[in-house]
Each structure stands twice: as structure tokens, then as C-alpha cells.
Amino acid sequence: MLFKVYFWQDESVIYNIKSGDIHLLSSFDGKVLDLMSSNTKQEVLIKKIIEAYQIDYQDAEDYLGKLYDIYRKLSLID
Amino acid sequence: MLLSQLPANKISEYLSTQELCFKTGSINIAVKSNIPAIIKHITDFYSHYDCLEKSDFIDLHVEVYSVGGYRKFYKPQVTFSFDGYEPFIPLPLKQAPAMFEWGLNWCIANVAHQYLIIHSAIIEKDGYGLVMPGTPGSGKSTLCAALVNKGWRLLSDEMALLSLKDGLIYPAPRPVSLKNKSIQIIKEFAPNAVFGDVIADTLKGDIAHMVAPVSALKGQSVPVKPAFLVFPHYEDNIEKKLIKLSKARALMTLAEHAFNFNVLGEEGFDSMANMIEQVECYDFSYSDLTTALDGIETLIQ
């Protein structure tokens, strides 16, 4: 595991175990990160984003792509 | 035995010839110094602290001494050493008591890693621990000094020692350090409080120490469960505002005030998160001390 996460209502705090950095995320984005780290299939993640934000498939795919980029930059996922 | 119960001149003799050992809550200190101002400071501010034997476990061995050479004749200076290491550049001799207190803070922040150390005042009333982290100028020491003169128990005005083992905050009561305008404000607010001389023109401005109340020493072995986390902000001419903070945001801010978070890593993060889990978190802006105290008192009502 590269991080630890604590959830409180609609927010979450992520602790990067390697760097010691901490990040404030929405609770949903924290949950997506948690799912990404457990190798959840992309289709499942997109479905969750569509349900959470009521957006179409393409927008959800773009959103997920951005999350992957951000989390990789922060070394929270491989 | 209390330091005050030592035979006459023993404080001075131990300080200057060997070490004077005493307990400040969870931290045991051994001090050596031949500077008259330090001997007076310890006599004035620590006489009601428990004396320790040299054979007792000591957390910090510190020495405060005059810098030698020609300088001592025309511009005398003081320096502070911890286990032989001098972490600071020397200061003017008249600032010796301030350097002693700052030096102890530095030592605790750098060695007491059995605790997550938060730059914070910590006080207690009716079993409720109030943690007030703050940067210099936020008013944490002023609020702390006022509240301990209104019946709250002082654990520390400068650092909260959050145990990694049990999540409780352990006391380390020492003199409350007040700066600049706060000195007069607290002298007027608590005319019976005992203060030392004002140490002028330090790096932090004018400094005066207030003797820790007797209640702080009676309870120096009693840890407290944190119940409230309040980030104070002093500003001129504003209405008092006590705003509830989300736990996630409070944790982000708290991390900025933890001295050894980076040293403790994951364990420190878990300790902070566990503390956040059990406290109510607030942002508190104020300009007037009396209304500020009302705001704080309402928390435990």
C-alpha cells in the first residue's frame, strides 16, 4: 500500500507513506483512489463516477483519466 | 521533595557545581548553570516542582552558561547546550531565562518522539482537554494564560504531548511565556498571577514569564483526553467568531503544527487522525479577551 486514507463525511485525507505528504480530497475521490489501488477494473470506476456525478460515459472516462494522472504525479498509485 | 524544600543555597549550589534535577510533568530535566539570572529564574519559577535524584531517569541534560573570552567584559552573552550540543547562536546575557525556556522547548520537540508534539497550548477543565494550536501571534498563550487563571488546568502553553500509545495528552507544565501587549493584558486580567521581569528586545519582542499555577503541578501526572481542537486567531477590531471546522480540514491544519510529524511518519499520522476522530474542531477569531473567554467556556457547557 502506498497510502493511508481517513474519511470524514464528504472529505478524506490521504497520507503518502513514502513521501509523508498529506492531501485533502473529496470523499468520493478518496474512495476512487482506494479502489484504484486495489486494481478495480476501469469500467467499474467509470460506472461509479457516472452514478456519483450523473455525467455521461465520455465525461466520466475523462474524469477518471485526470484522477489517474494526478494520483500518479503524487505517487499514490503506480 | 520540592525544590523549595531544599536547604538554603542548595539550588544555587547544585546548579553551579553539578546539576539540579526536577520533574516537569512527563519530562525530567537536569540543569547546570552558573548564571545568576538562571538561578533566580529557577528559584522563582520552579520552586514548587518535584526534585529528582541524579540516579532518576533524566530526559534532558541542559546547560546554560556565559560565553567566555574577552566578549564577556564588554558584551556578555549566554549560550545553551543540550548533551554538549549548542543548537543556537549565543544571545545577550540578559536574555538567559528566555534562552533557557526556548532551549527546553527545542529539546522536547527534538527528542520526545514517544509523543506526537503539537505546537499548541493544552489546558483542561472538568476532564475536557482543549488543544489550541497556533503560530506565534495567534494568541494561544494569551488565551491559555487567561483560562488557567479562571480555573482551567495548565498542561502546557507551548506544546501538546500526544501519546502514540494511548492517545492521551501528557502534561509538561512550565512557566507561561507571554509577549509584548499580552504581558500587560494578562497582568490586568489576573492581578494575582506571579510574573518575572520583562526581558526586553528579544528576537520575539518583549517576553515575560508567568508562574505555572499550583493546580498545574498537582495534576502534572494526570494526562487528559482531548475533547476540543480550537485554532485561535487574534485580530484587531473583529467580532468573535467560533466556526466549526470539518475534521479533514482540521487534520490538514493540525499537521502544520506538529513538530515531529515527519519524524514519526505513519504512526504520527494515525495518532493525529485518531485524535481528530474524537474532538470537536473549531476555528476561533477574536479581538477582545473577555468575549473570547466566554466563547471558549461555552464549548464545555
Side-chain angles (χ1 to χ4, degrees), chain B residues 54-163:
Chain B
K54 285 199 84 173
S55 55
D56 289 319
F57 179 81
I58 300 294
D59 296 280
L60 309 172
H61 290 270
V62 303
E63 190 172 355
V64 190
Y65 54 95
S66 301
V67 176
Y70 292 116
R71 180 181 276 274
K72 69 181 176 189
F73 297 110
Y74 69 94
K75 203 172 180 183
Q77 287 187 316
V78 59
T79 196
F80 176 95
S81 84
F82 162 58
D83 282 346
Y85 170 63
E86 295 177 8
F88 312 114
I89 58 169
L91 293 177
L93 186 60
K94 64 180 183 178
Q95 296 180 19
M99 187 175 221
F100 170 66
E101 296 294 343
W102 292 333
L104 287 181
N105 291 340
W106 183 91
C107 291
I108 295 168
N110 280 279
V111 302
H113 298 314
Q114 67 273 40
Y115 303 104
L116 177 80
I117 304 168
I118 304 162
H119 188 203
S120 170
I122 166 72
I123 55 178
E124 176 267 338
K125 191 175 189 182
D126 299 337
Y128 295 103
L130 167 60
V131 184
M132 290 191 291
T135 48
S138 62
K140 70 176 165 36
S141 291
T142 314
L143 278 177
C144 173
L147 286 162
V148 300
N149 280 293
K150 282 194 79 182
W152 290 68
R153 172 166 69 102
L154 173 74
L155 283 85
S156 172
D157 79 312
E158 189 63 23
M159 45 183 70
L161 305 179
L162 177 68
S163 168

Side-chain angles (χ1 to χ4, degrees), chain A:
Chain A
M1 199 65 165
L2 298 173
F3 63 87
K4 292 196 85 161
V5 57
Y6 283 83
F7 294 98
W8 286 286
Q9 293 171 330
D10 55 352
E11 292 175 321
S12 62
V13 179
I14 313 294
Y15 175 72
N16 184 323
I17 292 170
K18 273 191 180 170
S19 69
D21 293 335
I22 57 174
H23 308 282
L24 178 66
L25 299 180
S26 71
S27 196
F28 180 75
D29 286 353
K31 279 175 191 154
V32 172
L33 172 63
D34 224 5
L35 290 169
M36 284 174 178
S37 72
S38 56
N39 296 319
T40 304
K41 285 184 179 166
Q42 191 162 320
E43 286 306 311
V44 175
L45 297 175
I46 290 173
K47 196 177 164 198
K48 286 195 175 293
I49 293 168
I50 290 170
E51 282 169 9
Y53 292 118
Q54 301 293 308
I55 54 178
D56 63 31
Y57 186 92
Q58 188 56 52
D59 288 344
E61 196 176 30
D62 291 347
Y63 186 85
L64 183 62
K66 281 178 189 162
L67 284 185
Y68 270 118
D69 287 345
I70 292 167
Y71 294 158
R72 279 200 189 100
K73 273 183 194 162
L74 296 174
S75 304
L76 294 169
I77 53 173
D78 292 322

Side-chain angles (χ1 to χ4, degrees), chain B residues 220-268:
Chain B
Q220 66 172 320
S221 300
V222 183
V224 69
K225 187 176 174 183
F228 301 102
L229 174 64
V230 176
F231 296 98
H233 305 281
Y234 172 82
E235 287 176 51
D236 282 330
N237 305 316
I238 56 158
E239 287 286 311
K240 174 188 77 182
K241 271 190 293 187
L242 188 65
I243 300 168
K244 197 151 192 172
L245 269 182
S246 76
K247 287 184 183 282
R249 282 167 199 275
L251 175 52
M252 296 296 290
T253 310
L254 185 63
E256 294 169 14
H257 294 280
F259 285 123
N260 59 344
F261 172 48
N262 288 339
V263 176
L264 297 175
E266 195 176 340
E267 204 179 4

Side-chain angles (χ1 to χ4, degrees), chain B residues 37-56:
Chain B
I38 291 294
I39 296 168
K40 181 178 186 311
H41 181 77
I42 287 177
T43 306
D44 291 348
F45 287 94
Y46 289 92
S47 60
H48 289 91
Y49 286 67
D50 291 320
C51 214
L52 295 171
E53 299 292 331
K54 285 199 84 173
S55 55
D56 289 319

